[in-house]
């Protein structure tokens, strides 16, 4: 694996890659004095990325160039499956999370981004199309 391979792959599959405030790619690595948890060696709780953008990316691709000697593990969850399970087990809570907007923000010396999204976003037919969850960006 080498830098740039994932971007070339994504362009072949999806065509145009929409940049974020971080550009077309974001390097996750441990740095001294991090200003972002992605630059630290600390573990991250389950979350969705970039909920403070008005249109969070519908898909993100991750590519490991060099595995950390210690740590570096990831936890992933199927948020859509969790939301469907919640809908079946606690419909009232599902409806609250699908109805009430939550404010998300990210502030750095270079930008102040903020947006409001429902935790569970559904379309007019009730189909889930996005999950927005990030306790560190609220």
């Amino acid at each position: 694996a080498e830098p740039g391979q994932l971007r070339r792959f994504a362009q072949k599959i999806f065509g145009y890659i929409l940049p974020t405030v971080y550009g077309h790619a974001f390097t996750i690595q441990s740095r001294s004095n991090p200003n972002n948890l992605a630059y630290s060696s600390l573990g991250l709780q389950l979350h969705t990325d970039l909920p403070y953008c008005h249109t969070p990316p519908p898909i993100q691709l991750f590519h490991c160039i060099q595995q950390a000697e210690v740590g570096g593990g990831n936890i992933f969850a199927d948020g859509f499956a969790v939301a469907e399970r919640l809908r079946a087990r606690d419909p009232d809570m599902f409806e609250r999370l699908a109805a009430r907007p939550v404010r998300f923000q990210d502030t750095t010396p270079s930008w102040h981004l903020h947006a409001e999204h429902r935790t569970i976003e559904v379309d007019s037919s009730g189909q889930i199309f996005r999950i927005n969850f990030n306790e560190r960006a609220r």
Side-chain angles (χ1 to χ4, degrees), residues 23-133:
H24 285 95
F26 182 79
T27 302
I28 301 169
Q29 63 185 4
S30 183
R31 297 180 180 172
S32 59
N33 301 317
N35 66 344
N36 185 308
L37 280 175
Y39 294 142
S40 78
S41 59
L42 300 173
L44 300 176
Q45 67 189 46
L46 289 171
H47 66 282
T48 58
D49 285 333
L50 306 172
Y52 39 79
C53 294
H54 288 283
T55 305
I59 186 169
Q60 288 183 274
L61 304 175
F62 293 87
H63 181 210
C64 182
I65 303 293
Q66 181 179 358
Q67 186 170 344
E69 292 180 26
V70 177
N74 287 290
I75 300 171
F76 291 92
D78 183 343
F80 285 55
V82 171
E84 289 295 355
R85 182 178 250 171
L86 179 65
R87 187 186 334 229
R89 292 187 179 183
D90 192 342
D92 290 339
M93 180 58 71
F94 178 92
E95 288 304 320
R96 275 186 245 149
L97 293 172
R100 184 173 295 149
V102 175
R103 181 181 170 90
F104 297 97
Q105 62 185 7
D106 185 38
T107 303
T108 74
S110 301
W111 63 76
H112 178 82
L113 300 172
H114 58 90
E116 287 190 2
H117 302 289
R118 291 163 175 79
T119 302
I120 302 170
E121 293 192 72
V122 297
D123 63 19
S124 59
S125 67
Q127 181 76 30
I128 298 167
F129 68 89
R130 181 178 290 128
I131 304 294
N132 299 291
F133 179 79

